[in-house]
Amino acid sequence: MLLLELEEQIKPLSQADKQELFRFLARELQQEAVVTEESPVQQDGDFQPDPAKLRLLSAIAPRPYWPLHDAHEAAKTLFELKGSGGVPVI
Amino acid sequence: MHSQQFLYPRDPERPDELNLPYIPITLSSKHRSLQCQALLDSGAKVNVIPYRVGLELGAPWGQTPAIHLTGNLEKVPTHAIGVMTRIGDFAPHPLLFAWTQSKQAPVILGLVDFFMEFNVCFFASEGVIEIAPR
C-alpha cells in the first residue's frame, strides 16, 4: 500500500528528481544481493528483488526510445535498400 | 562544399545547461512539407521518424519493406521509407528512415543514412554543430 501511494507521489516529479530517486533505489536493490561465504556471488539470473520495488523502479526509470546502436539488421536492410533503390521517396 | 552551423538548443531558464543536439529540418513528400526538430544521434544505426510524422507527410503505412529496430522500439512495427530532407540551406536530399509506429519517438538522424551523406562536427563546449554534405 505504501509503495502504491509512493507511485502516485513520484509521477509528478521532475525528470531530474526521478533519476535521482531511481539511482537511490537501484543502490538499495543492489544491496539486497548479499554475498556471504556460504552463498556464491549471485548472478543476474539468480537475484530476485522485491517485485513491489521493481514496479516502483519501472515507474520512475528513464525510458530511452533507443539505444539504436545495436540495430544492426535494420541498418543493413536500409543500406541494401538504399543501394538497390528498393524504397521510393514519398 | 561549404558547411553550416547550428546552435545547440538552450533552455532560456537554464542558459548554462547544454541540451541534446537537435536541429531544425524540413521533411517533404509529394503532398506536403513538415518542419520539425531532429536529434543528431551518431549512436543510432538508423534514421527514425515517428508514426504521426509519416502520416502527416501522407506516407502509405505498411506498403514498404518492414524492418526491425531495437531497444524500446523493438516490438513496434516499423517500415522503411524515403523522405526528401532539407537541412539548413543545403539542397534537399533523399534520406531513408525507419518509420516506426511509436508515437513518442523523436525524429532521429543516425548512421544510415544521415551520417553517410553528411559530415558533422559537434563543438558542444561552444554550443555549436557544424554540418556539411559529403
Side-chain angles (χ1 to χ4, degrees):
Chain A
M1 183 60 74
L2 173 64
L3 288 171
L4 281 173
E5 290 170 359
L6 280 175
E7 275 187 66
E8 290 306 307
Q9 291 183 23
I10 286 167
K11 278 177 192 172
L13 291 179
S14 69
Q15 194 62 24
D17 287 341
K18 282 182 184 176
Q19 287 180 353
E20 180 82 26
L21 187 54
F22 171 77
R23 282 191 284 270
F24 168 75
L25 286 173
R27 283 196 300 271
E28 288 290 303
L29 274 180
Q30 195 64 31
Q31 286 169 7
E32 288 191 13
V34 176
V35 176
T36 65
E37 287 185 2
E38 289 78 26
S39 63
V41 173
Q42 290 180 316
Q43 300 300 315
D44 286 344
D46 296 331
F47 178 47
Q48 296 295 329
D50 186 326
K53 284 188 180 177
L54 268 185
R55 191 177 68 245
L56 193 57
L57 265 181
S58 65
I60 61 171
R63 289 177 171 79
Y65 300 106
W66 46 107
L68 292 168
H69 58 264
D70 55 353
H72 310 299
E73 286 305 313
K76 185 180 172 204
T77 302
L78 278 183
F79 184 78
E80 288 170 352
L81 288 170
K82 184 181 173 77
S84 67
V87 179
V89 174
I90 60 172
Chain B
M1 184 72 65
H2 74 284
S3 64
Q4 287 187 38
Q5 290 191 343
F6 299 80
L7 299 179
Y8 274 81
R10 295 275 184 183
D11 182 348
E13 294 185 5
R14 296 176 180 156
D16 294 330
E17 280 188 17
L18 198 60
N19 289 311
L20 294 177
Y22 280 88
I23 60 167
I25 66 172
T26 303
L27 301 174
S28 298
S29 66
K30 295 184 182 70
H31 308 285
R32 61 175 299 183
S33 289
L34 187 66
Q35 292 184 341
C36 56
Q37 294 288 316
L39 175 67
L40 298 181
D41 189 355
S42 59
K45 284 278 191 177
V46 297
N47 304 327
V48 175
I49 59 169
Y51 192 52
R52 61 172 178 80
V53 170
L55 288 181
E56 285 188 47
L57 290 170
W61 174 257
Q63 296 178 26
T64 52
I67 53 179
H68 182 224
L69 295 183
T70 53
N72 272 28
L73 299 177
E74 182 177 2
K75 296 187 170 79
V76 183
T78 304
H79 291 269
I81 60 168
V83 184
M84 290 302 287
T85 306
R86 187 182 182 108
I87 296 168
D89 295 333
F90 302 130
H93 194 95
L95 292 180
L96 283 182
F97 287 85
W99 181 19
T100 173
Q101 223 170 31
S102 164
K103 297 183 178 65
Q104 286 91 10
V107 175
I108 300 174
L109 298 176
L111 294 182
V112 181
D113 54 351
F114 171 75
F115 283 95
M116 292 172 62
E117 300 296 335
F118 293 87
N119 293 317
V120 181
C121 287
F122 296 92
F123 300 97
S125 61
E126 298 170 27
V128 171
I129 306 158
E130 202 168 278
I131 301 175
R134 67 177 175 90

